Amino acid sequence: GGSRNECPRPLVHCVRAQARPYLDGRLDDEGWKTAHAMLLTDEANAKGEPAAIVKFARDDEFLYLAASCHRAKSVGYPSTDEPRQRDADLSRQDRVEFWLDINRDWSTRYRLVIDHRGWTAESVDGDRLRQLARWNPTWFAAAAGDEQTWNVEAAVLLKDLAELKHDAQAWAVNVRRITPGVAVASWSQATGSDHGQAIGTFIVAP
């Protein structure tokens, strides 16, 4: 069933930032207060407290990402003094993955990953883009937190993702918080076997 007027996929608007957020992982900039919140839940706890709250914003130069995640009680969160590595192996870390299908062709997707330390990785999935040189977007990330939560904040250079026009654009997007050995939480409830298939609708403000 379901109403004919219901949106078949989750929908969120990416608002224009009135001021560029300062990337410190604290998420206390004015711009984040007006950004639309995406609640990430896992199917086993769909009615409970969200595993993460994610927000997007943009200006003429950057796409901004923010996530606030509750720490899992059974997971260790070691800090490190090592220099941050590009495209680090984050498979054992509590992390958030952003999947962006810019042109909604359902086959080529950009993947941006940030873990609880603020370490990052990126990749491209799709036949057409595999023929291109390794994708290394310009982006910046920061992390912070307390005993209950960890937060990340990032800015991705828009020209490494898409050429934005004067009209609003619709992207297909999914965001997942992956806590190894605990749970996978998703905005659009695309879990496990579909490898983050981008199925939510994301309206980018002109």
Side-chain angles (χ1 to χ4, degrees), residues 142-164:
D146 54 31
E147 293 182 355
Q148 285 75 43
T149 62
W150 60 268
N151 304 323
V152 290
E153 217 171 2
V156 187
L157 198 62
L158 270 170
K159 71 180 185 63
D160 288 340
L161 290 170
E163 182 181 350
L164 293 184

Side-chain angles (χ1 to χ4, degrees), residues 33 46 51 53 59 62 104 114 117 129 145 172 182 186 194:
K33 296 178 182 179
I53 299 174
D59 58 20
F62 288 98
R104 293 187 298 169
I114 314 173
R117 304 166 298 175
L129 293 179
V182 178
S186 175
D194 62 14

Side-chain angles (χ1 to χ4, degrees), residues 17 31 34 53 67 78 87 94 96 122 135 163 169 176 189 191 196:
T34 57
I53 299 174
D87 281 335
D94 197 357
V96 177
E122 69 267 346
W135 182 56
E163 182 181 350
Q169 291 187 11
R176 302 194 302 169
Q189 287 304 318
T191 58

Side-chain angles (χ1 to χ4, degrees), residues 10 38-43 51-52 173-178 183-192 194 196-197 199:
M38 303 163 66
L39 305 182
L40 275 58
T41 59
D42 65 87
E43 291 181 339
V173 168
N174 196 14
V175 185
R176 302 194 302 169
R177 188 254 180 111
I178 301 176
V184 176
S186 175
W187 176 50
S188 59
Q189 287 304 318
T191 58
D194 62 14
Q197 182 176 356
I199 60 173

Side-chain angles (χ1 to χ4, degrees), residues 114-132:
I114 314 173
D115 75 3
H116 63 94
R117 304 166 298 175
W119 287 41
T120 63
E122 69 267 346
S123 61
V124 161
D125 176 29
D127 292 338
R128 180 176 61 85
L129 293 179
R130 287 193 192 111
Q131 308 303 317
L132 303 179

Side-chain angles (χ1 to χ4, degrees), residues 4-193:
R4 181 177 301 177
N5 295 324
E6 289 179 359
C7 181
R9 298 188 178 100
L11 173 70
V12 72
H13 286 78
C14 175
V15 298
R16 177 174 284 276
Q18 298 304 310
R20 179 170 293 181
Y22 179 71
L23 299 184
D24 56 8
R26 300 187 185 279
L27 313 187
D28 54 1
D29 298 273
E30 284 296 320
W32 291 129
K33 296 178 182 179
T34 57
H36 297 188
M38 303 163 66
L39 305 182
L40 275 58
T41 59
D42 65 87
E43 291 181 339
N45 190 33
K47 295 183 180 180
E49 191 170 352
I53 299 174
V54 172
K55 294 183 177 183
F56 286 84
R58 63 150 295 200
D59 58 20
D60 289 333
E61 189 174 7
F62 288 98
L63 175 69
Y64 301 103
L65 320 171
S68 180
C69 306
H70 289 283
R71 294 184 187 271
K73 294 180 180 179
S74 59
V75 173
Y77 292 91
S79 58
T80 179
D81 294 327
E82 294 179 57
R84 185 185 296 174
Q85 302 173 18
R86 180 141 204 163
D87 281 335
D89 179 6
L90 306 183
S91 61
R92 297 183 180 181
Q93 307 299 329
D94 197 357
R95 62 196 187 274
V96 177
E97 296 187 348
F98 300 85
W99 294 79
L100 309 175
D101 183 350
I102 304 297
N103 60 4
R104 293 187 298 169
D105 65 0
W106 309 109
S107 64
T108 53
R109 294 165 294 178
Y110 295 101
R111 173 177 169 266
L112 300 162
V113 188
I114 314 173
D115 75 3
H116 63 94
R117 304 166 298 175
W119 287 41
T120 63
E122 69 267 346
S123 61
V124 161
D125 176 29
D127 292 338
R128 180 176 61 85
L129 293 179
R130 287 193 192 111
Q131 308 303 317
L132 303 179
R134 184 179 180 84
W135 182 56
N136 283 314
T138 298
W139 64 311
F140 310 91
D146 54 31
E147 293 182 355
Q148 285 75 43
T149 62
W150 60 268
N151 304 323
V152 290
E153 217 171 2
V156 187
L157 198 62
L158 270 170
K159 71 180 185 63
D160 288 340
L161 290 170
E163 182 181 350
L164 293 184
K165 311 295 184 183
H166 293 296
D167 298 326
Q169 291 187 11
W171 299 355
V173 168
N174 196 14
V175 185
R176 302 194 302 169
R177 188 254 180 111
I178 301 176
T179 309
V182 178
V184 176
S186 175
W187 176 50
S188 59
Q189 287 304 318
T191 58
S193 61

